[in-house]
Amino acid sequence: MAGVEEIEYIHVRIPLKTPFETSFGRFTHRESLIVRVRAGDFEGYGEIPVDQGPWYSCETVATALHISLDHISKALLGLEPTGLEDVTAALAGIRGHRMAKAGHEMAIADLLARERGIPLYRLIGGARREVEVGVSIGVIGDARELVRQVSRFLDEGYRRVKIKIKPGWDVEAVKLLRREFGDIPLQVDANASYSYRRHREVLLELDGYGLLMIEQPFHYDDLAEHAAMQRELKTPICLDESVKGLQDAMAAIEMGSCRVINVKPCRVGGLLETKAINDYAKGRGVPIWIGGMLESGIGRAHLVAAATLDNVGYPCDISSSSRYFEEDVVEPPWTAEKGIMRPLERPGIGVEVLEEGLRRYCVRRYVVRRW
Ligand code: OSB
Ligand code: MG
């Protein structure tokens, strides 16, 4: 590949159709830094789905910009990567900031795949041509509204339903959905809002509802309390926030902190680290699935590629673009049919990035060039 000549950061703010509420806040927009890397005649796109503040992740729009402009771009400009390992090596001196790194790694993955004329999923060794997807529903305190939404998503064919819970809105919500919809594939995500000491009983109660899994009940850095709880539960615990990379995944699996991992390529530092976790977990009999962050169609393309890995054993949090946005920044927008999403058989991410879409939602734009 020709050397990396230019990296562009487009800070976008895309309105959500309806607000998305979690235990750490209520979101009306998707903030993101879109990363566009140019080398020779090719370009590639990645996405850093950061928020304004350190809520889901400690990274924010401002930290990602700082690390990207002052450190990552310096390490990548001029680089002639022949594979994703070269990107990892170039960024090895920068600790943490995995989302910022992931956005660049994904952009270079797209670029390499385009240059080779292969779809992105092939570049990372994906094993399937279609992936099962589910829907993630925010905390909805209103019972009728929750039932209405679940019913709509089931009608649309999503393969499972995940609802966000928090202390005070958990067993009641699950009981309601079991009563209304029976034995549907259902799981819950607490986004670290419980603790072993205070909420053990609630989790033991949730264990009686046949959930597919309980995602990240405890602290975002914890492995020990999750291990203690997992020993008491039939329901698999799924870790999200606690697994920031392969090392955490190894520790979590060996400690018995979880039986499933939600791997978000952005959270763990990119597609290569996603593959490494996929492979390690596979060897230990622990399935993974791919989680999302309400990404635009650019980040979503990378999620679909990651979801083709061979140890993905549950439906992924990759819903149609139209579930979140009036208009996506790619064409065609990502669309699940009967709960199935397919990577496009075209070079790279496969979708066309719409310049006018980026411009419409752009807050600010930064360009770094080699000179
Ligand atoms: O915990 O999985 C999470 C969205 C923002 C932050 C954290 C999470 C989520 C989701 C949404 O659950 C998944 C999606 O992109 O549809
Ligand atoms: Mg989660």
mmCIF file with all atom_site columns, all heavy atoms in Angstrom, residues 326-347:
data_model
loop_
_atom_site.group_PDB
_atom_site.id
_atom_site.type_symbol
_atom_site.label_atom_id
_atom_site.label_alt_id
_atom_site.label_comp_id
_atom_site.label_asym_id
_atom_site.label_entity_id
_atom_site.label_seq_id
_atom_site.pdbx_PDB_ins_code
_atom_site.Cartn_x
_atom_site.Cartn_y
_atom_site.Cartn_z
_atom_site.occupancy
_atom_site.B_iso_or_equiv
_atom_site.pdbx_formal_charge
_atom_site.auth_seq_id
_atom_site.auth_comp_id
_atom_site.auth_asym_id
_atom_site.auth_atom_id
_atom_site.pdbx_PDB_model_num
ATOM 1   N N   . GLU A 1 326 ? -33.176 9.035   10.775 1.00 0.00 ? 326 GLU A N   1
ATOM 2   C CA  . GLU A 1 326 ? -34.030 9.361   9.624  1.00 0.00 ? 326 GLU A CA  1
ATOM 3   C C   . GLU A 1 326 ? -33.239 9.112   8.353  1.00 0.00 ? 326 GLU A C   1
ATOM 4   O O   . GLU A 1 326 ? -33.739 8.528   7.400  1.00 0.00 ? 326 GLU A O   1
ATOM 5   C CB  . GLU A 1 326 ? -34.447 10.840  9.647  1.00 0.00 ? 326 GLU A CB  1
ATOM 6   C CG  . GLU A 1 326 ? -35.466 11.235  10.704 1.00 0.00 ? 326 GLU A CG  1
ATOM 7   C CD  . GLU A 1 326 ? -36.817 10.531  10.577 1.00 0.00 ? 326 GLU A CD  1
ATOM 8   O OE1 . GLU A 1 326 ? -37.105 9.926   9.512  1.00 0.00 ? 326 GLU A OE1 1
ATOM 9   O OE2 . GLU A 1 326 ? -37.576 10.588  11.566 1.00 0.00 ? 326 GLU A OE2 1
ATOM 10  N N   . GLU A 1 327 ? -31.994 9.606   8.359  1.00 0.00 ? 327 GLU A N   1
ATOM 11  C CA  . GLU A 1 327 ? -31.144 9.407   7.189  1.00 0.00 ? 327 GLU A CA  1
ATOM 12  C C   . GLU A 1 327 ? -29.748 9.016   7.638  1.00 0.00 ? 327 GLU A C   1
ATOM 13  O O   . GLU A 1 327 ? -29.188 9.638   8.536  1.00 0.00 ? 327 GLU A O   1
ATOM 14  C CB  . GLU A 1 327 ? -31.044 10.704  6.387  1.00 0.00 ? 327 GLU A CB  1
ATOM 15  C CG  . GLU A 1 327 ? -32.191 10.895  5.426  1.00 0.00 ? 327 GLU A CG  1
ATOM 16  C CD  . GLU A 1 327 ? -32.159 12.282  4.828  1.00 0.00 ? 327 GLU A CD  1
ATOM 17  O OE1 . GLU A 1 327 ? -32.666 13.211  5.472  1.00 0.00 ? 327 GLU A OE1 1
ATOM 18  O OE2 . GLU A 1 327 ? -31.593 12.434  3.731  1.00 0.00 ? 327 GLU A OE2 1
ATOM 19  N N   . ASP A 1 328 ? -29.208 7.999   7.024  1.00 0.00 ? 328 ASP A N   1
ATOM 20  C CA  . ASP A 1 328 ? -27.860 7.564   7.360  1.00 0.00 ? 328 ASP A CA  1
ATOM 21  C C   . ASP A 1 328 ? -26.860 8.331   6.485  1.00 0.00 ? 328 ASP A C   1
ATOM 22  O O   . ASP A 1 328 ? -27.252 9.044   5.563  1.00 0.00 ? 328 ASP A O   1
ATOM 23  C CB  . ASP A 1 328 ? -27.728 6.042   7.144  1.00 0.00 ? 328 ASP A CB  1
ATOM 24  C CG  . ASP A 1 328 ? -26.597 5.439   7.976  1.00 0.00 ? 328 ASP A CG  1
ATOM 25  O OD1 . ASP A 1 328 ? -25.695 6.188   8.409  1.00 0.00 ? 328 ASP A OD1 1
ATOM 26  O OD2 . ASP A 1 328 ? -26.605 4.209   8.175  1.00 0.00 ? 328 ASP A OD2 1
ATOM 27  N N   . VAL A 1 329 ? -25.595 8.191   6.764  1.00 0.00 ? 329 VAL A N   1
ATOM 28  C CA  . VAL A 1 329 ? -24.570 8.860   5.957  1.00 0.00 ? 329 VAL A CA  1
ATOM 29  C C   . VAL A 1 329 ? -23.983 7.924   4.906  1.00 0.00 ? 329 VAL A C   1
ATOM 30  O O   . VAL A 1 329 ? -22.984 8.241   4.272  1.00 0.00 ? 329 VAL A O   1
ATOM 31  C CB  . VAL A 1 329 ? -23.433 9.451   6.839  1.00 0.00 ? 329 VAL A CB  1
ATOM 32  C CG1 . VAL A 1 329 ? -24.000 10.484  7.802  1.00 0.00 ? 329 VAL A CG1 1
ATOM 33  C CG2 . VAL A 1 329 ? -22.694 8.344   7.592  1.00 0.00 ? 329 VAL A CG2 1
ATOM 34  N N   . VAL A 1 330 ? -24.604 6.744   4.752  1.00 0.00 ? 330 VAL A N   1
ATOM 35  C CA  . VAL A 1 330 ? -24.152 5.816   3.713  1.00 0.00 ? 330 VAL A CA  1
ATOM 36  C C   . VAL A 1 330 ? -25.323 5.400   2.844  1.00 0.00 ? 330 VAL A C   1
ATOM 37  O O   . VAL A 1 330 ? -26.483 5.530   3.223  1.00 0.00 ? 330 VAL A O   1
ATOM 38  C CB  . VAL A 1 330 ? -23.502 4.532   4.313  1.00 0.00 ? 330 VAL A CB  1
ATOM 39  C CG1 . VAL A 1 330 ? -22.328 4.879   5.210  1.00 0.00 ? 330 VAL A CG1 1
ATOM 40  C CG2 . VAL A 1 330 ? -24.528 3.677   5.041  1.00 0.00 ? 330 VAL A CG2 1
ATOM 41  N N   . GLU A 1 331 ? -24.977 4.881   1.681  1.00 0.00 ? 331 GLU A N   1
ATOM 42  C CA  . GLU A 1 331 ? -25.974 4.381   0.739  1.00 0.00 ? 331 GLU A CA  1
ATOM 43  C C   . GLU A 1 331 ? -25.494 3.015   0.240  1.00 0.00 ? 331 GLU A C   1
ATOM 44  O O   . GLU A 1 331 ? -24.334 2.905   -0.158 1.00 0.00 ? 331 GLU A O   1
ATOM 45  C CB  . GLU A 1 331 ? -26.087 5.398   -0.392 1.00 0.00 ? 331 GLU A CB  1
ATOM 46  C CG  . GLU A 1 331 ? -27.148 5.172   -1.422 1.00 0.00 ? 331 GLU A CG  1
ATOM 47  C CD  . GLU A 1 331 ? -28.550 4.990   -0.910 1.00 0.00 ? 331 GLU A CD  1
ATOM 48  O OE1 . GLU A 1 331 ? -28.960 5.772   -0.035 1.00 0.00 ? 331 GLU A OE1 1
ATOM 49  O OE2 . GLU A 1 331 ? -29.208 4.061   -1.360 1.00 0.00 ? 331 GLU A OE2 1
ATOM 50  N N   . PRO A 1 332 ? -26.271 1.963   0.250  1.00 0.00 ? 332 PRO A N   1
ATOM 51  C CA  . PRO A 1 332 ? -27.597 1.910   0.864  1.00 0.00 ? 332 PRO A CA  1
ATOM 52  C C   . PRO A 1 332 ? -27.496 1.885   2.386  1.00 0.00 ? 332 PRO A C   1
ATOM 53  O O   . PRO A 1 332 ? -26.469 1.473   2.921  1.00 0.00 ? 332 PRO A O   1
ATOM 54  C CB  . PRO A 1 332 ? -28.132 0.551   0.352  1.00 0.00 ? 332 PRO A CB  1
ATOM 55  C CG  . PRO A 1 332 ? -26.922 -0.289  0.145  1.00 0.00 ? 332 PRO A CG  1
ATOM 56  C CD  . PRO A 1 332 ? -25.847 0.660   -0.305 1.00 0.00 ? 332 PRO A CD  1
ATOM 57  N N   . PRO A 1 333 ? -28.572 2.325   3.072  1.00 0.00 ? 333 PRO A N   1
ATOM 58  C CA  . PRO A 1 333 ? -28.555 2.223   4.533  1.00 0.00 ? 333 PRO A CA  1
ATOM 59  C C   . PRO A 1 333 ? -28.587 0.750   4.933  1.00 0.00 ? 333 PRO A C   1
ATOM 60  O O   . PRO A 1 333 ? -29.078 -0.088  4.174  1.00 0.00 ? 333 PRO A O   1
ATOM 61  C CB  . PRO A 1 333 ? -29.849 2.924   4.954  1.00 0.00 ? 333 PRO A CB  1
ATOM 62  C CG  . PRO A 1 333 ? -30.716 2.937   3.731  1.00 0.00 ? 333 PRO A CG  1
ATOM 63  C CD  . PRO A 1 333 ? -29.813 2.882   2.539  1.00 0.00 ? 333 PRO A CD  1
ATOM 64  N N   . TRP A 1 334 ? -28.038 0.430   6.115  1.00 0.00 ? 334 TRP A N   1
ATOM 65  C CA  . TRP A 1 334 ? -28.028 -0.955  6.584  1.00 0.00 ? 334 TRP A CA  1
ATOM 66  C C   . TRP A 1 334 ? -29.439 -1.383  6.960  1.00 0.00 ? 334 TRP A C   1
ATOM 67  O O   . TRP A 1 334 ? -30.113 -0.689  7.718  1.00 0.00 ? 334 TRP A O   1
ATOM 68  C CB  . TRP A 1 334 ? -27.085 -1.109  7.782  1.00 0.00 ? 334 TRP A CB  1
ATOM 69  C CG  . TRP A 1 334 ? -25.673 -0.977  7.338  1.00 0.00 ? 334 TRP A CG  1
ATOM 70  C CD1 . TRP A 1 334 ? -24.900 0.139   7.418  1.00 0.00 ? 334 TRP A CD1 1
ATOM 71  C CD2 . TRP A 1 334 ? -24.897 -1.983  6.676  1.00 0.00 ? 334 TRP A CD2 1
ATOM 72  N NE1 . TRP A 1 334 ? -23.670 -0.117  6.843  1.00 0.00 ? 334 TRP A NE1 1
ATOM 73  C CE2 . TRP A 1 334 ? -23.641 -1.401  6.391  1.00 0.00 ? 334 TRP A CE2 1
ATOM 74  C CE3 . TRP A 1 334 ? -25.138 -3.313  6.294  1.00 0.00 ? 334 TRP A CE3 1
ATOM 75  C CZ2 . TRP A 1 334 ? -22.621 -2.107  5.747  1.00 0.00 ? 334 TRP A CZ2 1
ATOM 76  C CZ3 . TRP A 1 334 ? -24.122 -4.010  5.647  1.00 0.00 ? 334 TRP A CZ3 1
ATOM 77  C CH2 . TRP A 1 334 ? -22.884 -3.412  5.379  1.00 0.00 ? 334 TRP A CH2 1
ATOM 78  N N   . THR A 1 335 ? -29.854 -2.510  6.442  1.00 0.00 ? 335 THR A N   1
ATOM 79  C CA  . THR A 1 335 ? -31.217 -2.957  6.687  1.00 0.00 ? 335 THR A CA  1
ATOM 80  C C   . THR A 1 335 ? -31.239 -4.444  6.995  1.00 0.00 ? 335 THR A C   1
ATOM 81  O O   . THR A 1 335 ? -30.709 -5.252  6.234  1.00 0.00 ? 335 THR A O   1
ATOM 82  C CB  . THR A 1 335 ? -32.097 -2.682  5.440  1.00 0.00 ? 335 THR A CB  1
ATOM 83  O OG1 . THR A 1 335 ? -31.984 -1.288  5.107  1.00 0.00 ? 335 THR A OG1 1
ATOM 84  C CG2 . THR A 1 335 ? -33.553 -3.006  5.703  1.00 0.00 ? 335 THR A CG2 1
ATOM 85  N N   . ALA A 1 336 ? -31.843 -4.769  8.138  1.00 0.00 ? 336 ALA A N   1
ATOM 86  C CA  . ALA A 1 336 ? -31.992 -6.183  8.498  1.00 0.00 ? 336 ALA A CA  1
ATOM 87  C C   . ALA A 1 336 ? -33.273 -6.707  7.864  1.00 0.00 ? 336 ALA A C   1
ATOM 88  O O   . ALA A 1 336 ? -34.286 -6.021  7.847  1.00 0.00 ? 336 ALA A O   1
ATOM 89  C CB  . ALA A 1 336 ? -32.062 -6.331  10.015 1.00 0.00 ? 336 ALA A CB  1
ATOM 90  N N   . GLU A 1 337 ? -33.174 -7.913  7.301  1.00 0.00 ? 337 GLU A N   1
ATOM 91  C CA  . GLU A 1 337 ? -34.379 -8.553  6.779  1.00 0.00 ? 337 GLU A CA  1
ATOM 92  C C   . GLU A 1 337 ? -34.619 -9.824  7.554  1.00 0.00 ? 337 GLU A C   1
ATOM 93  O O   . GLU A 1 337 ? -33.749 -10.690 7.602  1.00 0.00 ? 337 GLU A O   1
ATOM 94  C CB  . GLU A 1 337 ? -34.202 -8.878  5.288  1.00 0.00 ? 337 GLU A CB  1
ATOM 95  C CG  . GLU A 1 337 ? -34.407 -7.678  4.394  1.00 0.00 ? 337 GLU A CG  1
ATOM 96  C CD  . GLU A 1 337 ? -33.871 -7.935  2.994  1.00 0.00 ? 337 GLU A CD  1
ATOM 97  O OE1 . GLU A 1 337 ? -34.044 -9.068  2.491  1.00 0.00 ? 337 GLU A OE1 1
ATOM 98  O OE2 . GLU A 1 337 ? -33.265 -7.011  2.433  1.00 0.00 ? 337 GLU A OE2 1
ATOM 99  N N   . LYS A 1 338 ? -35.774 -9.915  8.175  1.00 0.00 ? 338 LYS A N   1
ATOM 100 C CA  . LYS A 1 338 ? -36.097 -11.048 9.043  1.00 0.00 ? 338 LYS A CA  1
ATOM 101 C C   . LYS A 1 338 ? -34.982 -11.308 10.067 1.00 0.00 ? 338 LYS A C   1
ATOM 102 O O   . LYS A 1 338 ? -34.627 -12.454 10.347 1.00 0.00 ? 338 LYS A O   1
ATOM 103 C CB  . LYS A 1 338 ? -36.337 -12.315 8.217  1.00 0.00 ? 338 LYS A CB  1
ATOM 104 C CG  . LYS A 1 338 ? -37.478 -12.187 7.215  1.00 0.00 ? 338 LYS A CG  1
ATOM 105 C CD  . LYS A 1 338 ? -37.895 -13.569 6.725  1.00 0.00 ? 338 LYS A CD  1
ATOM 106 C CE  . LYS A 1 338 ? -39.150 -13.538 5.879  1.00 0.00 ? 338 LYS A CE  1
ATOM 107 N NZ  . LYS A 1 338 ? -38.848 -13.329 4.438  1.00 0.00 ? 338 LYS A NZ  1
ATOM 108 N N   . GLY A 1 339 ? -34.402 -10.228 10.577 1.00 0.00 ? 339 GLY A N   1
ATOM 109 C CA  . GLY A 1 339 ? -33.379 -10.384 11.608 1.00 0.00 ? 339 GLY A CA  1
ATOM 110 C C   . GLY A 1 339 ? -32.023 -10.836 11.095 1.00 0.00 ? 339 GLY A C   1
ATOM 111 O O   . GLY A 1 339 ? -31.181 -11.281 11.865 1.00 0.00 ? 339 GLY A O   1
ATOM 112 N N   . ILE A 1 340 ? -31.827 -10.727 9.783  1.00 0.00 ? 340 ILE A N   1
ATOM 113 C CA  . ILE A 1 340 ? -30.541 -11.108 9.179  1.00 0.00 ? 340 ILE A CA  1
ATOM 114 C C   . ILE A 1 340 ? -29.921 -9.893  8.486  1.00 0.00 ? 340 ILE A C   1
ATOM 115 O O   . ILE A 1 340 ? -30.614 -9.155  7.796  1.00 0.00 ? 340 ILE A O   1
ATOM 116 C CB  . ILE A 1 340 ? -30.747 -12.225 8.116  1.00 0.00 ? 340 ILE A CB  1
ATOM 117 C CG1 . ILE A 1 340 ? -31.292 -13.502 8.750  1.00 0.00 ? 340 ILE A CG1 1
ATOM 118 C CG2 . ILE A 1 340 ? -29.455 -12.490 7.347  1.00 0.00 ? 340 ILE A CG2 1
ATOM 119 C CD1 . ILE A 1 340 ? -30.310 -14.254 9.609  1.00 0.00 ? 340 ILE A CD1 1
ATOM 120 N N   . MET A 1 341 ? -28.626 -9.708  8.691  1.00 0.00 ? 341 MET A N   1
ATOM 121 C CA  . MET A 1 341 ? -27.905 -8.648  7.985  1.00 0.00 ? 341 MET A CA  1
ATOM 122 C C   . MET A 1 341 ? -26.775 -9.309  7.215  1.00 0.00 ? 341 MET A C   1
ATOM 123 O O   . MET A 1 341 ? -26.169 -10.266 7.691  1.00 0.00 ? 341 MET A O   1
ATOM 124 C CB  . MET A 1 341 ? -27.372 -7.658  9.010  1.00 0.00 ? 341 MET A CB  1
ATOM 125 C CG  . MET A 1 341 ? -26.907 -6.389  8.436  1.00 0.00 ? 341 MET A CG  1
ATOM 126 S SD  . MET A 1 341 ? -27.848 -4.894  8.690  1.00 0.00 ? 341 MET A SD  1
ATOM 127 C CE  . MET A 1 341 ? -28.315 -4.637  10.282 1.00 0.00 ? 341 MET A CE  1
ATOM 128 N N   . ARG A 1 342 ? -26.523 -8.798  6.012  1.00 0.00 ? 342 ARG A N   1
ATOM 129 C CA  . ARG A 1 342 ? -25.477 -9.389  5.173  1.00 0.00 ? 342 ARG A CA  1
ATOM 130 C C   . ARG A 1 342 ? -24.410 -8.367  4.832  1.00 0.00 ? 342 ARG A C   1
ATOM 131 O O   . ARG A 1 342 ? -24.743 -7.261  4.404  1.00 0.00 ? 342 ARG A O   1
ATOM 132 C CB  . ARG A 1 342 ? -26.069 -9.905  3.862  1.00 0.00 ? 342 ARG A CB  1
ATOM 133 C CG  . ARG A 1 342 ? -26.947 -11.109 4.042  1.00 0.00 ? 342 ARG A CG  1
ATOM 134 C CD  . ARG A 1 342 ? -27.595 -11.569 2.734  1.00 0.00 ? 342 ARG A CD  1
ATOM 135 N NE  . ARG A 1 342 ? -28.498 -12.669 3.030  1.00 0.00 ? 342 ARG A NE  1
ATOM 136 C CZ  . ARG A 1 342 ? -29.730 -12.516 3.498  1.00 0.00 ? 342 ARG A CZ  1
ATOM 137 N NH1 . ARG A 1 342 ? -30.216 -11.300 3.717  1.00 0.00 ? 342 ARG A NH1 1
ATOM 138 N NH2 . ARG A 1 342 ? -30.485 -13.562 3.774  1.00 0.00 ? 342 ARG A NH2 1
ATOM 139 N N   . PRO A 1 343 ? -23.130 -8.735  4.983  1.00 0.00 ? 343 PRO A N   1
ATOM 140 C CA  . PRO A 1 343 ? -22.087 -7.823  4.501  1.00 0.00 ? 343 PRO A CA  1
ATOM 141 C C   . PRO A 1 343 ? -22.189 -7.742  2.983  1.00 0.00 ? 343 PRO A C   1
ATOM 142 O O   . PRO A 1 343 ? -22.572 -8.726  2.348  1.00 0.00 ? 343 PRO A O   1
ATOM 143 C CB  . PRO A 1 343 ? -20.793 -8.511  4.932  1.00 0.00 ? 343 PRO A CB  1
ATOM 144 C CG  . PRO A 1 343 ? -21.133 -9.949  5.134  1.00 0.00 ? 343 PRO A CG  1
ATOM 145 C CD  . PRO A 1 343 ? -22.585 -10.004 5.508  1.00 0.00 ? 343 PRO A CD  1
ATOM 146 N N   . LEU A 1 344 ? -21.906 -6.573  2.427  1.00 0.00 ? 344 LEU A N   1
ATOM 147 C CA  . LEU A 1 344 ? -22.019 -6.432  0.977  1.00 0.00 ? 344 LEU A CA  1
ATOM 148 C C   . LEU A 1 344 ? -20.804 -7.062  0.309  1.00 0.00 ? 344 LEU A C   1
ATOM 149 O O   . LEU A 1 344 ? -19.687 -6.975  0.811  1.00 0.00 ? 344 LEU A O   1
ATOM 150 C CB  . LEU A 1 344 ? -22.131 -4.951  0.595  1.00 0.00 ? 344 LEU A CB  1
ATOM 151 C CG  . LEU A 1 344 ? -23.374 -4.268  1.177  1.00 0.00 ? 344 LEU A CG  1
ATOM 152 C CD1 . LEU A 1 344 ? -23.414 -2.794  0.798  1.00 0.00 ? 344 LEU A CD1 1
ATOM 153 C CD2 . LEU A 1 344 ? -24.645 -4.968  0.704  1.00 0.00 ? 344 LEU A CD2 1
ATOM 154 N N   . GLU A 1 345 ? -21.046 -7.710  -0.818 1.00 0.00 ? 345 GLU A N   1
ATOM 155 C CA  . GLU A 1 345 ? -19.949 -8.374  -1.545 1.00 0.00 ? 345 GLU A CA  1
ATOM 156 C C   . GLU A 1 345 ? -19.279 -7.366  -2.462 1.00 0.00 ? 345 GLU A C   1
ATOM 157 O O   . GLU A 1 345 ? -19.221 -7.542  -3.677 1.00 0.00 ? 345 GLU A O   1
ATOM 158 C CB  . GLU A 1 345 ? -20.499 -9.569  -2.333 1.00 0.00 ? 345 GLU A CB  1
ATOM 159 C CG  . GLU A 1 345 ? -21.126 -10.654 -1.472 1.00 0.00 ? 345 GLU A CG  1
ATOM 160 C CD  . GLU A 1 345 ? -20.121 -11.376 -0.565 1.00 0.00 ? 345 GLU A CD  1
ATOM 161 O OE1 . GLU A 1 345 ? -18.909 -11.361 -0.871 1.00 0.00 ? 345 GLU A OE1 1
ATOM 162 O OE2 . GLU A 1 345 ? -20.555 -11.937 0.461  1.00 0.00 ? 345 GLU A OE2 1
ATOM 163 N N   . ARG A 1 346 ? -18.807 -6.287  -1.870 1.00 0.00 ? 346 ARG A N   1
ATOM 164 C CA  . ARG A 1 346 ? -18.113 -5.244  -2.628 1.00 0.00 ? 346 ARG A CA  1
ATOM 165 C C   . ARG A 1 346 ? -16.854 -4.860  -1.856 1.00 0.00 ? 346 ARG A C   1
ATOM 166 O O   . ARG A 1 346 ? -16.770 -5.121  -0.665 1.00 0.00 ? 346 ARG A O   1
ATOM 167 C CB  . ARG A 1 346 ? -19.029 -4.023  -2.771 1.00 0.00 ? 346 ARG A CB  1
ATOM 168 C CG  . ARG A 1 346 ? -20.353 -4.376  -3.459 1.00 0.00 ? 346 ARG A CG  1
ATOM 169 C CD  . ARG A 1 346 ? -20.850 -3.227  -4.296 1.00 0.00 ? 346 ARG A CD  1
ATOM 170 N NE  . ARG A 1 346 ? -21.011 -2.015  -3.506 1.00 0.00 ? 346 ARG A NE  1
ATOM 171 C CZ  . ARG A 1 346 ? -22.162 -1.368  -3.380 1.00 0.00 ? 346 ARG A CZ  1
ATOM 172 N NH1 . ARG A 1 346 ? -23.260 -1.829  -3.946 1.00 0.00 ? 346 ARG A NH1 1
ATOM 173 N NH2 . ARG A 1 346 ? -22.219 -0.264  -2.684 1.00 0.00 ? 346 ARG A NH2 1
ATOM 174 N N   . PRO A 1 347 ? -15.879 -4.245  -2.510 1.00 0.00 ? 347 PRO A N   1
ATOM 175 C CA  . PRO A 1 347 ? -14.625 -3.950  -1.805 1.00 0.00 ? 347 PRO A CA  1
ATOM 176 C C   . PRO A 1 347 ? -14.822 -3.080  -0.559 1.00 0.00 ? 347 PRO A C   1
ATOM 177 O O   . PRO A 1 347 ? -15.647 -2.162  -0.549 1.00 0.00 ? 347 PRO A O   1
ATOM 178 C CB  . PRO A 1 347 ? -13.797 -3.208  -2.861 1.00 0.00 ? 347 PRO A CB  1
ATOM 179 C CG  . PRO A 1 347 ? -14.356 -3.670  -4.172 1.00 0.00 ? 347 PRO A CG  1
ATOM 180 C CD  . PRO A 1 347 ? -15.817 -3.894  -3.939 1.00 0.00 ? 347 PRO A CD  1
#
